[in-house]
Amino acid sequence: MREKPVSPGKSVLVFSLFTALFYFLLVTLHPLLRSVTAWNPALYWFVTGYFLFVPMAVYAVGSVRREGFLSGAAILRGLGVRNLSPRDWKYSIMGLLILFLCTGLIFGVSHVLSSRFGLRELSTTPWFIEMHPFQGLEKLLLLIWFPMFCFNILGEELLWRGYIQKRLSARYAWPLCSLLWFLFHLPFGVDLMIMLLPITIIVPFVFYRTRNTAVAIFIHGMYNGPIFVAVALGLVS
């Protein structure tokens, strides 16, 4: 078993291919589901997400298996997933707190610019998602969302951090992965890209400092998951 270095060129290619897949799904599968079904609008994204994030996770696992990491424990090792040490926990908590602080700052600036200068406030919902609080039995939709959410977090972090960034040996590995991850969110639209700028910087940097993909999974999951559940249940607007 031996890790094979990933070149900057391959990194750009892999990020570009999955960004293209992301956009392709949003302009093909997503509208197709809307046209032939009468589901809750949120479900269109839940289903579409599986077709993006499952292949990402499969690609990451398949890549390290080709390097000879075959058992479950070996695959986790090849993808840089290990138990969090006290130092890892420190980076995890501090990274998450800084992330929430930066996000709040962006919202605050957007609100001030809107109230004082009449600029449109940043939208928290991507253009392809119609989101309203789940009512009654609609709350069971979270059972469909949760596995997709897990594939979302694991697919991105195992691929972007555990496979690609871990194997980029150049000093500019984390800034390059930060930029590429930021561009991966192009299909979300400008508003979401602005709001996601902090996480696309903080997570790659924290991984650079810890070399532990579990740290990236923790920060990414704790940032995305609770916010979505709060919106879905109508706890925040």
Side-chain angles (χ1 to χ4, degrees):
M1 296 180 292
R2 187 174 66 85
E3 293 183 9
K4 297 179 181 179
V6 172
S7 68
K10 181 176 180 179
S11 302
V12 172
L13 177 62
V14 174
F15 269 94
S16 299
L17 288 175
F18 280 105
T19 302
L21 175 61
F22 188 2
Y23 184 76
F24 176 76
L25 291 170
L26 291 181
V27 298
T28 56
L29 178 60
H30 192 272
L32 176 63
L33 293 173
R34 292 174 62 94
S35 68
V36 300
T37 63
W39 298 338
N40 179 294
L43 268 175
Y44 304 131
W45 166 238
F46 297 172
V47 174
T48 302
Y50 282 103
F51 287 84
L52 173 64
F53 300 119
V54 171
M56 292 173 67
V58 170
Y59 182 91
V61 172
S63 295
V64 298
R65 283 182 59 85
R66 285 192 292 273
E67 295 175 340
F69 298 91
L70 301 180
S71 69
I75 289 171
L76 292 177
R77 187 168 64 253
L79 291 170
V81 180
R82 62 177 187 275
N83 293 331
L84 273 65
S85 67
R87 179 174 180 271
D88 292 334
W89 276 114
K90 176 182 175 181
Y91 272 99
S92 298
I93 301 302
M94 290 302 298
L96 190 61
L97 291 176
I98 293 172
L99 179 54
F100 279 121
L101 179 63
C102 291
T103 303
L105 181 62
I106 290 174
F107 276 115
V109 170
S110 175
H111 179 72
V112 169
L113 292 176
S114 176
S115 59
R116 292 193 177 184
F117 302 102
L119 298 179
R120 179 180 60 81
E121 287 197 53
L122 294 174
S123 173
T124 59
T125 306
W127 58 271
F128 53 86
I129 296 180
E130 297 177 35
M131 192 70 193
H132 60 75
F134 294 163
Q135 303 295 329
L137 291 177
E138 284 185 332
K139 294 177 182 178
L140 294 176
L141 296 177
L142 291 174
L143 298 178
I144 299 175
W145 163 80
F146 185 71
M148 189 276 288
F149 167 73
C150 292
F151 277 113
N152 178 181
I153 303 303
L154 292 176
E156 290 199 60
E157 296 309 326
L158 294 180
L159 180 54
W160 302 150
R161 248 61 63 190
Y163 177 63
I164 291 180
Q165 188 175 342
K166 189 172 187 285
R167 287 159 176 75
L168 273 169
S169 58
R171 293 181 179 178
Y172 52 79
W174 82 261
L176 175 60
C177 284
S178 179
L179 173 62
L180 293 174
W181 195 29
F182 177 72
L183 295 177
F184 170 75
H185 293 93
L186 272 171
F188 274 131
V190 174
D191 285 17
L192 263 294
M193 290 185 72
I194 293 173
M195 287 188 289
L196 292 172
L197 180 59
I199 193 173
T200 60
I201 296 174
I202 291 171
V203 170
F205 176 75
V206 170
F207 177 80
Y208 163 72
R209 297 292 296 177
T210 63
R211 309 300 292 176
N212 189 350
T213 306
V215 174
I217 291 171
F218 174 83
I219 296 175
H220 195 170
M222 291 302 297
Y223 179 71
N224 279 17
I227 291 177
F228 178 85
V229 172
V231 172
L233 297 181
L235 302 178
V236 299
S237 57

PDB file of all heavy atoms in Angstrom, residues 8 12 43 58 61 68 91 97-98 102 106 109 116 144 146 156 188 193 199 207 226:
ATOM      1  N   PRO A   8      -1.405  18.852  -9.389  1.00  0.00           N
ATOM      2  CA  PRO A   8      -2.361  19.963  -9.471  1.00  0.00           C
ATOM      3  C   PRO A   8      -3.288  19.818 -10.675  1.00  0.00           C
ATOM      4  O   PRO A   8      -4.476  20.122 -10.591  1.00  0.00           O
ATOM      5  CB  PRO A   8      -1.464  21.193  -9.584  1.00  0.00           C
ATOM      6  CG  PRO A   8      -0.196  20.790  -8.894  1.00  0.00           C
ATOM      7  CD  PRO A   8      -0.019  19.345  -9.233  1.00  0.00           C
ATOM      8  N   VAL A  12      -7.404  19.701 -10.545  1.00  0.00           N
ATOM      9  CA  VAL A  12      -8.289  20.588 -11.309  1.00  0.00           C
ATOM     10  C   VAL A  12      -9.268  19.773 -12.135  1.00  0.00           C
ATOM     11  O   VAL A  12     -10.462  20.095 -12.213  1.00  0.00           O
ATOM     12  CB  VAL A  12      -7.464  21.533 -12.208  1.00  0.00           C
ATOM     13  CG1 VAL A  12      -8.384  22.319 -13.153  1.00  0.00           C
ATOM     14  CG2 VAL A  12      -6.634  22.494 -11.371  1.00  0.00           C
ATOM     15  N   LEU A  43     -37.786  17.591  -1.967  1.00  0.00           N
ATOM     16  CA  LEU A  43     -37.393  16.236  -2.345  1.00  0.00           C
ATOM     17  C   LEU A  43     -36.638  16.186  -3.665  1.00  0.00           C
ATOM     18  O   LEU A  43     -35.829  15.287  -3.891  1.00  0.00           O
ATOM     19  CB  LEU A  43     -38.628  15.337  -2.421  1.00  0.00           C
ATOM     20  CG  LEU A  43     -39.002  14.569  -1.152  1.00  0.00           C
ATOM     21  CD1 LEU A  43     -40.300  13.829  -1.348  1.00  0.00           C
ATOM     22  CD2 LEU A  43     -37.899  13.626  -0.745  1.00  0.00           C
ATOM     23  N   VAL A  58     -17.790   7.093  -3.905  1.00  0.00           N
ATOM     24  CA  VAL A  58     -17.314   5.889  -4.591  1.00  0.00           C
ATOM     25  C   VAL A  58     -15.972   6.150  -5.268  1.00  0.00           C
ATOM     26  O   VAL A  58     -15.063   5.306  -5.214  1.00  0.00           O
ATOM     27  CB  VAL A  58     -18.351   5.405  -5.621  1.00  0.00           C
ATOM     28  CG1 VAL A  58     -17.783   4.299  -6.510  1.00  0.00           C
ATOM     29  CG2 VAL A  58     -19.617   4.917  -4.919  1.00  0.00           C
ATOM     30  N   VAL A  61     -13.189   6.246  -2.533  1.00  0.00           N
ATOM     31  CA  VAL A  61     -12.864   4.907  -2.033  1.00  0.00           C
ATOM     32  C   VAL A  61     -12.181   4.075  -3.113  1.00  0.00           C
ATOM     33  O   VAL A  61     -11.182   3.388  -2.854  1.00  0.00           O
ATOM     34  CB  VAL A  61     -14.140   4.198  -1.538  1.00  0.00           C
ATOM     35  CG1 VAL A  61     -13.854   2.731  -1.206  1.00  0.00           C
ATOM     36  CG2 VAL A  61     -14.712   4.919  -0.316  1.00  0.00           C
ATOM     37  N   GLY A  68      -3.989   0.045  -3.222  1.00  0.00           N
ATOM     38  CA  GLY A  68      -3.723  -1.122  -2.393  1.00  0.00           C
ATOM     39  C   GLY A  68      -4.352  -1.088  -1.018  1.00  0.00           C
ATOM     40  O   GLY A  68      -4.161  -2.014  -0.227  1.00  0.00           O
ATOM     41  N   TYR A  91      -8.731  22.149  17.019  1.00  0.00           N
ATOM     42  CA  TYR A  91      -8.908  22.725  15.681  1.00  0.00           C
ATOM     43  C   TYR A  91     -10.356  22.606  15.218  1.00  0.00           C
ATOM     44  O   TYR A  91     -10.882  23.510  14.553  1.00  0.00           O
ATOM     45  CB  TYR A  91      -7.975  22.038  14.686  1.00  0.00           C
ATOM     46  CG  TYR A  91      -6.611  22.677  14.610  1.00  0.00           C
ATOM     47  CD1 TYR A  91      -5.525  22.136  15.294  1.00  0.00           C
ATOM     48  CD2 TYR A  91      -6.399  23.815  13.843  1.00  0.00           C
ATOM     49  CE1 TYR A  91      -4.267  22.719  15.231  1.00  0.00           C
ATOM     50  CE2 TYR A  91      -5.151  24.400  13.768  1.00  0.00           C
ATOM     51  CZ  TYR A  91      -4.072  23.855  14.475  1.00  0.00           C
ATOM     52  OH  TYR A  91      -2.831  24.439  14.406  1.00  0.00           O
ATOM     53  N   LEU A  97     -16.269  27.479  15.350  1.00  0.00           N
ATOM     54  CA  LEU A  97     -16.649  28.767  15.928  1.00  0.00           C
ATOM     55  C   LEU A  97     -16.282  29.919  14.997  1.00  0.00           C
ATOM     56  O   LEU A  97     -17.079  30.854  14.795  1.00  0.00           O
ATOM     57  CB  LEU A  97     -15.981  28.948  17.292  1.00  0.00           C
ATOM     58  CG  LEU A  97     -16.476  28.038  18.418  1.00  0.00           C
ATOM     59  CD1 LEU A  97     -15.661  28.257  19.691  1.00  0.00           C
ATOM     60  CD2 LEU A  97     -17.961  28.275  18.682  1.00  0.00           C
ATOM     61  N   ILE A  98     -15.093  29.871  14.433  1.00  0.00           N
ATOM     62  CA  ILE A  98     -14.677  30.921  13.500  1.00  0.00           C
ATOM     63  C   ILE A  98     -15.568  30.923  12.277  1.00  0.00           C
ATOM     64  O   ILE A  98     -15.934  31.982  11.744  1.00  0.00           O
ATOM     65  CB  ILE A  98     -13.195  30.732  13.106  1.00  0.00           C
ATOM     66  CG1 ILE A  98     -12.292  30.973  14.319  1.00  0.00           C
ATOM     67  CG2 ILE A  98     -12.809  31.677  11.967  1.00  0.00           C
ATOM     68  CD1 ILE A  98     -10.841  30.619  14.084  1.00  0.00           C
ATOM     69  N   CYS A 102     -17.703  34.080  11.035  1.00  0.00           N
ATOM     70  CA  CYS A 102     -17.532  34.674   9.702  1.00  0.00           C
ATOM     71  C   CYS A 102     -18.852  34.690   8.930  1.00  0.00           C
ATOM     72  O   CYS A 102     -19.170  35.667   8.243  1.00  0.00           O
ATOM     73  CB  CYS A 102     -16.475  33.896   8.922  1.00  0.00           C
ATOM     74  SG  CYS A 102     -14.790  34.088   9.553  1.00  0.00           S
ATOM     75  N   ILE A 106     -20.915  37.969   7.505  1.00  0.00           N
ATOM     76  CA  ILE A 106     -21.381  38.146   6.129  1.00  0.00           C
ATOM     77  C   ILE A 106     -22.862  38.522   6.114  1.00  0.00           C
ATOM     78  O   ILE A 106     -23.282  39.437   5.404  1.00  0.00           O
ATOM     79  CB  ILE A 106     -21.129  36.869   5.308  1.00  0.00           C
ATOM     80  CG1 ILE A 106     -19.633  36.682   5.077  1.00  0.00           C
ATOM     81  CG2 ILE A 106     -21.877  36.920   3.973  1.00  0.00           C
ATOM     82  CD1 ILE A 106     -19.260  35.386   4.403  1.00  0.00           C
ATOM     83  N   VAL A 109     -23.180  42.177   7.331  1.00  0.00           N
ATOM     84  CA  VAL A 109     -22.795  43.145   6.301  1.00  0.00           C
ATOM     85  C   VAL A 109     -23.869  43.235   5.232  1.00  0.00           C
ATOM     86  O   VAL A 109     -24.222  44.331   4.768  1.00  0.00           O
ATOM     87  CB  VAL A 109     -21.430  42.764   5.684  1.00  0.00           C
ATOM     88  CG1 VAL A 109     -21.135  43.617   4.455  1.00  0.00           C
ATOM     89  CG2 VAL A 109     -20.321  42.909   6.719  1.00  0.00           C
ATOM     90  N   ARG A 116     -29.166  50.296   4.469  1.00  0.00           N
ATOM     91  CA  ARG A 116     -28.634  51.650   4.281  1.00  0.00           C
ATOM     92  C   ARG A 116     -28.529  52.061   2.814  1.00  0.00           C
ATOM     93  O   ARG A 116     -28.655  53.248   2.485  1.00  0.00           O
ATOM     94  CB  ARG A 116     -27.251  51.759   4.929  1.00  0.00           C
ATOM     95  CG  ARG A 116     -27.286  51.683   6.442  1.00  0.00           C
ATOM     96  CD  ARG A 116     -25.977  52.104   7.044  1.00  0.00           C
ATOM     97  NE  ARG A 116     -26.013  52.099   8.498  1.00  0.00           N
ATOM     98  CZ  ARG A 116     -25.005  52.503   9.276  1.00  0.00           C
ATOM     99  NH1 ARG A 116     -23.882  52.943   8.717  1.00  0.00           N
ATOM    100  NH2 ARG A 116     -25.129  52.460  10.592  1.00  0.00           N
ATOM    101  N   ILE A 144     -35.369  10.931   4.440  1.00  0.00           N
ATOM    102  CA  ILE A 144     -34.807  10.810   3.085  1.00  0.00           C
ATOM    103  C   ILE A 144     -33.613  11.749   2.949  1.00  0.00           C
ATOM    104  O   ILE A 144     -32.623  11.413   2.298  1.00  0.00           O
ATOM    105  CB  ILE A 144     -35.877  11.146   2.033  1.00  0.00           C
ATOM    106  CG1 ILE A 144     -37.049  10.154   2.153  1.00  0.00           C
ATOM    107  CG2 ILE A 144     -35.295  11.100   0.616  1.00  0.00           C
ATOM    108  CD1 ILE A 144     -38.209  10.468   1.229  1.00  0.00           C
ATOM    109  N   PHE A 146     -31.529  12.743   5.385  1.00  0.00           N
ATOM    110  CA  PHE A 146     -30.358  12.442   6.211  1.00  0.00           C
ATOM    111  C   PHE A 146     -29.319  11.566   5.511  1.00  0.00           C
ATOM    112  O   PHE A 146     -28.121  11.880   5.557  1.00  0.00           O
ATOM    113  CB  PHE A 146     -30.785  11.802   7.534  1.00  0.00           C
ATOM    114  CG  PHE A 146     -29.633  11.570   8.475  1.00  0.00           C
ATOM    115  CD1 PHE A 146     -28.994  12.627   9.098  1.00  0.00           C
ATOM    116  CD2 PHE A 146     -29.154  10.285   8.698  1.00  0.00           C
ATOM    117  CE1 PHE A 146     -27.920  12.424   9.944  1.00  0.00           C
ATOM    118  CE2 PHE A 146     -28.082  10.063   9.542  1.00  0.00           C
ATOM    119  CZ  PHE A 146     -27.462  11.140  10.171  1.00  0.00           C
ATOM    120  N   GLU A 156     -17.840  14.697  -0.228  1.00  0.00           N
ATOM    121  CA  GLU A 156     -16.959  15.843  -0.439  1.00  0.00           C
ATOM    122  C   GLU A 156     -15.667  15.721   0.347  1.00  0.00           C
ATOM    123  O   GLU A 156     -14.575  15.923  -0.199  1.00  0.00           O
ATOM    124  CB  GLU A 156     -17.684  17.131  -0.061  1.00  0.00           C
ATOM    125  CG  GLU A 156     -18.800  17.523  -1.017  1.00  0.00           C
ATOM    126  CD  GLU A 156     -19.174  18.980  -0.886  1.00  0.00           C
ATOM    127  OE1 GLU A 156     -18.294  19.833  -1.108  1.00  0.00           O
ATOM    128  OE2 GLU A 156     -20.339  19.264  -0.547  1.00  0.00           O
ATOM    129  N   PHE A 188     -24.458  26.715  -7.345  1.00  0.00           N
ATOM    130  CA  PHE A 188     -25.345  27.257  -6.322  1.00  0.00           C
ATOM    131  C   PHE A 188     -25.735  28.709  -6.601  1.00  0.00           C
ATOM    132  O   PHE A 188     -26.754  29.175  -6.100  1.00  0.00           O
ATOM    133  CB  PHE A 188     -24.673  27.196  -4.944  1.00  0.00           C
ATOM    134  CG  PHE A 188     -24.859  25.889  -4.233  1.00  0.00           C
ATOM    135  CD1 PHE A 188     -23.765  25.239  -3.668  1.00  0.00           C
ATOM    136  CD2 PHE A 188     -26.100  25.306  -4.095  1.00  0.00           C
ATOM    137  CE1 PHE A 188     -23.922  24.039  -2.993  1.00  0.00           C
ATOM    138  CE2 PHE A 188     -26.276  24.102  -3.425  1.00  0.00           C
ATOM    139  CZ  PHE A 188     -25.184  23.472  -2.873  1.00  0.00           C
ATOM    140  N   MET A 193     -22.319  31.308  -2.927  1.00  0.00           N
ATOM    141  CA  MET A 193     -20.860  31.255  -2.978  1.00  0.00           C
ATOM    142  C   MET A 193     -20.248  32.263  -2.007  1.00  0.00           C
ATOM    143  O   MET A 193     -19.233  31.977  -1.363  1.00  0.00           O
ATOM    144  CB  MET A 193     -20.374  31.510  -4.403  1.00  0.00           C
ATOM    145  CG  MET A 193     -20.683  30.378  -5.362  1.00  0.00           C
ATOM    146  SD  MET A 193     -19.963  30.656  -6.983  1.00  0.00           S
ATOM    147  CE  MET A 193     -18.213  30.401  -6.648  1.00  0.00           C
ATOM    148  N   ILE A 199     -16.251  28.720   4.739  1.00  0.00           N
ATOM    149  CA  ILE A 199     -16.035  27.283   4.916  1.00  0.00           C
ATOM    150  C   ILE A 199     -15.063  26.733   3.875  1.00  0.00           C
ATOM    151  O   ILE A 199     -14.293  25.817   4.158  1.00  0.00           O
ATOM    152  CB  ILE A 199     -17.375  26.506   4.873  1.00  0.00           C
ATOM    153  CG1 ILE A 199     -17.166  25.075   5.388  1.00  0.00           C
ATOM    154  CG2 ILE A 199     -17.983  26.471   3.483  1.00  0.00           C
ATOM    155  CD1 ILE A 199     -18.438  24.274   5.548  1.00  0.00           C
ATOM    156  N   PHE A 207      -7.620  21.120   7.711  1.00  0.00           N
ATOM    157  CA  PHE A 207      -7.101  19.816   7.293  1.00  0.00           C
ATOM    158  C   PHE A 207      -5.584  19.893   7.076  1.00  0.00           C
ATOM    159  O   PHE A 207      -4.850  18.964   7.433  1.00  0.00           O
ATOM    160  CB  PHE A 207      -7.778  19.337   6.012  1.00  0.00           C
ATOM    161  CG  PHE A 207      -7.225  18.030   5.510  1.00  0.00           C
ATOM    162  CD1 PHE A 207      -7.626  16.831   6.071  1.00  0.00           C
ATOM    163  CD2 PHE A 207      -6.273  18.000   4.501  1.00  0.00           C
ATOM    164  CE1 PHE A 207      -7.092  15.621   5.633  1.00  0.00           C
ATOM    165  CE2 PHE A 207      -5.733  16.808   4.057  1.00  0.00           C
ATOM    166  CZ  PHE A 207      -6.148  15.610   4.629  1.00  0.00           C
ATOM    167  N   PRO A 226     -27.205  21.042  11.224  1.00  0.00           N
ATOM    168  CA  PRO A 226     -28.136  21.716  12.140  1.00  0.00           C
ATOM    169  C   PRO A 226     -28.860  22.898  11.502  1.00  0.00           C
ATOM    170  O   PRO A 226     -30.037  23.136  11.800  1.00  0.00           O
ATOM    171  CB  PRO A 226     -27.220  22.183  13.286  1.00  0.00           C
ATOM    172  CG  PRO A 226     -26.083  21.213  13.257  1.00  0.00           C
ATOM    173  CD  PRO A 226     -25.857  20.921  11.800  1.00  0.00           C
TER     174      PRO A 226
END
